[in-house]
Amino acid sequence: KNMKLFVIFAEQGEVVKEKMKKLDLKEAYIDPVGTLQEKFGVNGFPITIIVDKNAQRLKKIEGYSSENIKVIEKLLDTLKN
C-alpha cells in the first residue's frame, strides 16, 4: 500500500524551517492554532498518530522510546501487507 508521512508542527516561521532542514523534510504542515491537534486528541509532544486514507485514527503513540518505535514499525509493516 502507498503511505505518506505527514509532519505537523505547532510552531511557525524559522523554528519550523530549522527543524525541517535538520530532519531533511521537503514538506510539512503548520498547525499553530491546534486544529489538527484537537481533531486527533494531541495533548503533548512528541506524538505519532497513524491514520488511514480517510483520516481515521488507527493508533496514537505518545512519547519517544525504543519500545514505541517497535510498535510503530510493527504496525506499519502490518499495513504494508
Side-chain angles (χ1 to χ4, degrees), residues 9 27 41 43 56-57 68-69 71 73:
F9 291 100
E27 63 180 337
N43 298 317
Q56 297 301 309
R57 187 173 77 191
N68 283 351
I69 298 298
V71 169
E73 289 173 342

Side-chain angles (χ1 to χ4, degrees), residues 29-43:
Y29 297 88
I30 311 300
D31 186 31
V33 294
T35 304
L36 292 172
Q37 296 170 56
E38 184 176 319
K39 175 181 171 84
F40 292 111
V42 174
N43 298 317

Side-chain angles (χ1 to χ4, degrees), residues 4-9 20 23 25 27-30 36:
K4 186 170 183 175
L5 173 67
F6 290 93
V7 178
I8 303 167
F9 291 100
M20 287 181 66
L23 297 169
L25 297 172
E27 63 180 337
Y29 297 88
I30 311 300
L36 292 172

Side-chain angles (χ1 to χ4, degrees), residues 7-78:
V7 178
I8 303 167
F9 291 100
E11 303 95 349
Q12 300 183 71
E14 289 302 315
V15 172
V16 172
K17 288 179 185 178
E18 290 172 18
K19 288 183 180 180
M20 287 181 66
K21 185 176 180 180
K22 183 177 179 182
L23 297 169
D24 194 29
L25 297 172
K26 304 296 181 228
E27 63 180 337
Y29 297 88
I30 311 300
D31 186 31
V33 294
T35 304
L36 292 172
Q37 296 170 56
E38 184 176 319
K39 175 181 171 84
F40 292 111
V42 174
N43 298 317
F45 299 98
I47 189 164
T48 301
I49 300 173
I50 303 197
V51 298
D52 66 14
K53 64 183 178 181
N54 298 313
Q56 297 301 309
R57 187 173 77 191
L58 301 176
K59 184 79 173 171
K60 177 173 140 179
I61 302 153
E62 296 183 12
Y64 181 83
S65 70
S66 58
E67 188 59 37
N68 283 351
I69 298 298
K70 290 176 188 174
V71 169
I72 294 166
E73 289 173 342
K74 183 176 180 181
L75 180 57
L76 292 177
D77 283 344
T78 302

